[in-house]
Amino acid sequence: MTEHAVYVVTGGSRGIGAAVARRLAGVPGRALVLSYRSEQATARRLAAELARPDAPVAAVPCDVADPEQVAALFTAADTFGPLVGLVNNAGILERQSGFEAIDAARWQRILAVNVVGLAMCCREAVRRMRDHDRPGRAIVSLSSMAAVLGGAGQYVDYAASKGAVDTLTRGLALEVAPLGIRVSAV
C-alpha cells in the first residue's frame, strides 16, 4: 500500500468541515480522513466525490465526545500513512437561551464535544506527529469570536467552550513547538 501524508478533519461531512475537506483533497500523495457523527450518507457522498486514485478520502464515524471513538478515528487514519495535519472542526452549539436556562446536562454536552473531544483529538494527533519529522505538521482548531464576546443572552456555554479552545491552543502550541508541530486556532 502506498504511504500518504494524512490529514484528519473532524466534523468533515458538511459546512465548514466539508469546505476544508474540499481544499485539502485531491493532492497526489495526500490522504484525507473525514469524521462524521450522524450523517453517514452525506459523509460517504463527499468522500466519494473527493477521492482520487493517488489521493484517497475516507469517511469515518466518530463522536468526538467519546475517547474510544476518537482513538478509532486516528487508528483508521494510520492505515494511510503518517499523520501530518488535523483540523478540529467538530463542535456543537445549542439553541439560544439566557444563562439561567442552561442546565448542567447542556454544559456537559457542550464541554464534552467542544473542549474534551477537541483535546482528545489533539492528544492522538501529537502522539502520531511526534514520531516522524515530515514537514508541515500542524493542528488547526476552529474557535469563535464568541470566546471574546461572551455570548450573553444567547450561548454563554458555547462561548466559554471556545475560550477554553483558545487557551488549550496557546498551551499546546508552546508545548509542541520544539517538536516542529504548529498549533493554531481560527
Side-chain angles (χ1 to χ4, degrees):
M1 180 175 191
T2 303
E3 187 174 273
H4 296 84
V6 180
Y7 292 78
V8 171
V9 180
T10 65
S13 66
R14 60 189 182 91
I16 293 171
V20 168
R22 284 187 168 88
R23 295 282 294 180
L24 290 173
V27 176
R30 178 183 291 169
L32 186 57
V33 178
L34 312 175
S35 80
Y36 65 92
R37 186 176 57 86
S38 61
E39 296 191 26
Q40 180 181 43
T42 302
R44 287 189 175 171
R45 265 193 310 277
L46 181 62
E49 170 195 327
L50 299 177
R52 304 288 179 267
D54 56 356
V57 179
V60 178
C62 178
D63 179 347
V64 298
D66 181 344
E68 290 180 8
Q69 290 186 43
V70 169
L73 169 66
F74 283 86
T75 298
D78 291 340
T79 64
F80 293 103
L83 184 70
V84 174
L86 165 63
V87 178
N88 282 308
N89 174 65
I92 58 172
L93 171 67
E94 298 282 348
R95 180 173 299 228
Q96 291 182 342
S97 71
F99 182 82
E100 292 180 36
I102 303 172
D103 63 12
R106 176 171 154 166
W107 275 103
Q108 289 168 342
R109 278 191 311 274
I110 292 283
L111 295 175
V113 173
N114 295 0
V115 181
V116 178
L118 181 140
M120 295 300 95
C121 288
C122 287
R123 182 184 70 173
E124 292 296 328
V126 168
R127 286 177 172 172
R128 285 157 173 82
M129 290 178 181
R130 72 178 309 123
D131 291 337
H132 65 84
D133 61 356
R134 279 194 155 189
R137 292 170 295 157
I139 297 170
V140 177
S141 298
L142 272 70
S143 184
S144 171
M145 282 304 297
V148 175
L149 301 175
Q154 298 175 19
Y155 39 73
V156 171
D157 51 352
Y158 174 80
S161 75
K162 293 303 181 173
V165 167
D166 291 350
T167 301
L168 184 154
T169 298
R170 280 190 293 277
L172 182 58
L174 292 169
E175 186 169 325
V176 300
L179 302 172
I181 302 169
R182 291 177 296 115
V183 181
S184 59
V186 292

